[in-house]
Amino acid sequence: MKFSLFKRFVIQAVCFSFWPILVFAQSSDLTQNLADCKNGWESCDRSKLSESELADVAFAEHRRDVSNCRNSFQSCDRSKLTPQETIALALADHQQNVADCNNGMTSCDHSRLSHSEAGESSLAQHRRNLQNCKDGFGDCDRSKLTQTELGTVELSSRERNVSNCKDGAGVCDRSKLTPSQATEILAAEHQHNVWNCENGWNQCDHSKLTVAEAVQVAASEHRHNISACMAGDETCDYSKLTATETTALAAAERKRNYTACLSDSGYCDPSRLSADETLLVQRKGEDPK
């Protein structure tokens, strides 16, 4: 009898110890279910909701419907909007349509514009067409421009052509250049070529350099080659180094190799060390520090 009572006591104690975990798990499930219902998810189980939670879910559903209507989503149900919300939605739709028309959007409905709004939209469209023509865009309609605007567009076109010819970008029509512009652009092109040659770029044409420029470019190319050789770059042309430069490069490489071996960092070739350097490297390796 005593054993039976003790066993019952143990079972009850175990049950009570798991009770908080069970309560927490149930509470967590209810909280998740409430969140699912507020988000309109299929996992929602309304039978588990209290009266106050049902009211919260209904409010969340209504706010979601208002948002859907404002964003023109298909899930919008206008019949569920209050009269005030319906008016606000109509005002927002009208303002959006006005903005679409002024910005030339395909969603624009001109039939919904007032007389003054239609005039503003037409003026915005004209200004947009004028800017497109000045910028050289394909959707420019010159037939809608005034004579003054056509003159402005032609001036912009000539200026853009000059800029394209100078920069070597875009469409350059040299036949539209004045003699002074053609001379200026030739000078700019020549200077660009000199710059390309001095920097070792592919767009360099040595045949277009003057004698003085060719000497200057040769000196620049030689300096670039020395730098490439010192850095161990694959672009180095060792055949273009002078005897003095070859000697200096060899000395620099021996120093780099010795430093790498001594510090045990970087590429080290022990076979290229002198006897004294080998001894110092060995002593460095035997140093307990």
Side-chain angles (χ1 to χ4, degrees):
M1 181 70 177
K2 290 183 179 180
F3 178 77
S4 177
L5 291 174
F6 177 75
K7 183 176 181 182
R8 181 180 300 176
F9 174 77
V10 171
I11 293 174
Q12 290 177 343
V14 171
C15 290
F16 278 119
S17 66
F18 280 104
W19 179 253
I21 298 175
L22 296 174
V23 171
F24 176 78
Q26 184 180 18
S27 175
S28 178
D29 290 342
L30 292 175
T31 301
Q32 182 61 51
N33 182 63
L34 176 59
D36 292 348
C37 293
K38 285 184 175 182
N39 290 317
W41 295 342
E42 294 182 358
S43 53
C44 163
D45 185 352
R46 290 177 176 268
S47 65
K48 295 181 179 180
L49 300 176
S50 65
E51 290 296 327
S52 61
E53 290 174 338
L54 284 170
D56 290 341
V57 170
F59 179 77
E61 289 176 341
H62 184 77
R63 297 309 304 166
R64 186 163 56 252
D65 186 56
V66 171
S67 177
N68 291 338
C69 292
R70 283 299 184 99
N71 290 284
S72 300
F73 293 160
Q74 291 183 351
S75 53
C76 160
D77 187 350
R78 290 176 179 259
S79 66
K80 294 181 179 180
L81 301 179
T82 65
Q84 293 82 2
E85 291 169 341
T86 300
I87 294 173
L89 176 60
L91 176 61
D93 284 345
H94 183 81
Q95 291 173 337
Q96 183 61 54
N97 184 61
V98 171
D100 291 345
C101 292
N102 287 339
N103 293 319
M105 306 292 289
T106 55
S107 54
C108 162
D109 185 352
H110 288 91
S111 66
R112 293 168 53 193
L113 299 177
S114 67
H115 181 72
S116 60
E117 290 168 345
E120 292 175 0
S121 175
S122 178
L123 180 60
Q125 182 179 3
H126 184 81
R127 288 173 177 168
R128 190 164 51 252
N129 181 62
L130 174 59
Q131 191 61 49
N132 289 341
C133 293
K134 291 173 67 175
D135 294 340
F137 292 160
D139 52 355
C140 158
D141 187 350
R142 287 176 176 256
S143 66
K144 295 181 179 180
L145 301 179
T146 65
Q147 288 299 318
T148 302
E149 290 169 343
L150 283 171
T152 302
V153 169
E154 186 60 30
L155 177 61
S156 297
S157 177
R158 289 197 299 269
E159 291 176 346
R160 186 169 55 255
N161 184 61
V162 172
S163 178
N164 290 344
C165 292
K166 281 185 177 180
D167 299 335
V171 179
C172 166
D173 187 348
R174 294 178 181 270
S175 66
K176 294 182 179 180
L177 299 175
T178 65
S180 61
Q181 290 171 341
T183 301
E184 182 182 355
I185 287 170
L186 284 174
E189 289 177 341
H190 184 82
Q191 191 56 44
H192 284 160
N193 184 61
V194 173
W195 179 259
N196 291 338
C197 292
E198 286 185 343
N199 286 279
W201 294 338
N202 293 331
Q203 296 83 359
C204 162
D205 186 348
H206 288 85
S207 66
K208 294 182 179 180
L209 299 175
T210 66
V211 175
E213 290 167 347
V215 172
Q216 180 180 343
V217 167
S220 178
E221 289 176 340
H222 190 75
R223 288 193 298 271
H224 289 159
N225 187 58
I226 293 175
S227 297
C229 294
M230 286 292 186
D233 292 344
E234 61 181 24
T235 56
C236 166
D237 187 346
Y238 294 97
S239 66
K240 293 183 178 180
L241 298 177
T242 65
T244 302
E245 291 165 349
T246 300
T247 301
L249 178 62
E253 173 54 28
R254 283 196 303 271
K255 182 178 180 180
R256 184 209 61 75
N257 186 65
Y258 170 64
T259 301
C261 295
L262 189 64
S263 63
D264 194 25
S265 175
Y267 173 68
C268 163
D269 184 355
S271 66
R272 292 164 51 201
L273 297 174
S274 66
D276 292 339
E277 289 172 342
T278 300
L279 182 60
L280 289 173
V281 169
Q282 290 174 346
R283 289 178 179 177
K284 177 72 175 181
E286 295 171 355
D287 192 337
K289 292 189 293 183

